[in-house]
Amino acid sequence: MTQRFLVLDSFRGLCALSVVVFHLHVVSTFTEADFFRGSGLLVEFFFVLSGFVLSHSYAFSNHLSFKQFAVLRSFRLFPLHIVMLVVFILFEFGKLAAYEWGGLLFNSAPFTGLGAPSEILPNFFLVHAWSSLTDPWSFNSPSWSISIEYYIYFIFFATLLLFKSYKILAWTFISFVMLWLIAKEAIFPVLDVQRGLSCFFAGGVTYYLYSRLNYLKFNYLVASLLEALLLVLVVYIVASNMEYRSLISTFLFCATVFIYSFEGGLSLLC
């Protein structure tokens, strides 16, 4: 991330840590707090921020290269993804050895359920979160968000080529259609795809607004109050069980990214 958005990078780190705690979930510890139990919602923030950052890097560039884009995006995600997939496959082999030689059976039989052999290829090609025919939580469960984001990268690049000066309209259309589908509880495309597309392209629109308004200079006190208010709202929404909180969070995360990108208040201390 560029130096201009170091505060957002710090914010992303805190959100990532919260998501890690969400996946840990140790009974009778702080991980059972409402905020951490709801922090899976922070994935929406990652999608928004990703759309914001990629728009900053590519949306207004005059030197777009699909080859360079594809190589950079692929090497950013695939190496670690493949390593972790291999680790989880080896874990299934370990479960198999323990069962065959020691009669030990863990949570599930080896190579069944989330570790079924039929899930290996979809995971390898990062398509496992795009279909109701595959399990997005199979093997390395957090990789579902990487699966969604990876192919959104190429949808994003396609909008740059196809719509050019109308790309902001295209992003707005995609985002609002996906938000409408979420509100209607549509089953196609799958919910995770709806979440990813709505938030990523909302992040792109947010960057466009920022690029047009970045000349604004917020008073330090006003900026600090806005940042504090947004932080409180984020914690409140994540910890709540309110209806449509996923939809609300999209707009809230866009506002958070927009305000924090100015780095005009207490966030400067980060």
Side-chain angles (χ1 to χ4, degrees):
M1 187 177 297
T2 61
Q3 186 175 1
R4 185 170 181 82
F5 303 123
L6 284 177
V7 170
L8 287 177
D9 202 23
S10 299
F11 200 102
R12 179 180 63 175
L14 292 174
C15 291
L17 182 60
S18 298
V19 173
V20 169
V21 175
F22 166 78
H23 285 288
L24 285 176
H25 194 190
V26 181
V27 177
S28 300
T29 66
F30 71 93
T31 63
E32 291 194 304
D34 289 341
F35 174 79
F36 292 117
R37 287 303 86 225
S39 58
L41 187 67
L42 292 173
V43 174
E44 265 85 342
F45 172 79
F46 296 133
F47 285 134
V48 168
L49 184 58
S50 184
F52 184 92
V53 173
L54 260 71
S55 297
H56 171 69
S57 300
Y58 296 102
F60 303 99
S61 172
N62 294 321
H63 305 287
L64 290 176
S65 165
F66 177 76
K67 180 180 178 180
Q68 182 183 40
F69 179 86
V71 169
L72 286 174
R73 295 300 103 195
S74 297
F75 275 88
R76 182 180 179 85
L77 298 180
F78 261 94
L80 181 58
H81 165 66
I82 297 301
V83 168
M84 292 307 300
L85 177 59
V86 170
V87 167
F88 277 85
I89 293 173
L90 291 175
F91 180 69
E92 291 297 319
F93 275 110
K95 288 170 59 178
L96 179 63
Y99 178 73
E100 293 290 339
W101 298 336
L104 298 175
L105 187 62
F106 296 93
N107 293 335
S108 61
F111 290 106
T112 62
L114 297 180
S118 60
E119 299 287 349
I120 293 177
L121 281 181
N123 269 269
F124 182 86
F125 289 107
L126 277 177
V127 297
H128 55 294
W130 282 82
S131 167
S132 59
L133 301 176
T134 52
D135 196 321
W137 291 80
S138 54
F139 290 100
N140 181 23
S141 58
S143 69
W144 76 264
S145 61
I146 300 174
S147 167
I148 299 297
E149 185 160 330
Y150 180 68
Y151 290 100
I152 286 179
Y153 288 159
F154 296 99
I155 296 173
F156 167 75
F157 194 89
T159 65
L160 301 182
L161 294 182
L162 296 175
F163 299 104
K164 298 182 179 179
S165 58
Y166 298 101
K167 55 184 172 286
I168 308 303
L169 289 176
W171 297 350
T172 304
F173 176 78
I174 293 171
S175 183
F176 273 96
V177 167
M178 291 300 118
L179 288 170
W180 179 77
L181 290 175
I182 292 172
K184 292 294 183 180
E185 299 183 351
I187 60 173
F188 182 83
V190 295
L191 179 58
D192 291 335
V193 172
Q194 296 171 19
R195 292 170 66 191
L197 287 170
S198 62
C199 293
F200 182 95
F201 286 106
V205 174
T206 300
Y207 177 75
Y208 172 75
L209 294 175
Y210 169 79
S211 69
R212 293 295 181 268
L213 300 172
N214 60 10
Y215 62 86
L216 296 175
K217 300 298 181 183
F218 288 98
N219 174 275
Y220 179 80
L221 179 59
V222 172
S224 297
L225 289 173
L226 286 173
E227 290 172 0
L229 174 61
L230 287 167
L231 187 59
V232 169
L233 287 174
V234 167
V235 172
Y236 174 76
I237 293 296
V238 169
S240 75
N241 291 312
M242 68 170 56
E243 190 176 12
Y244 300 126
R245 74 184 189 119
S246 179
L247 300 179
I248 295 170
S249 71
T250 300
F251 295 102
L252 177 58
F253 291 144
C254 286
T256 301
V257 168
F258 180 79
I259 293 299
Y260 274 78
S261 64
F262 285 92
E263 301 184 352
L266 288 172
S267 62
L268 285 171
L269 301 176
C270 297

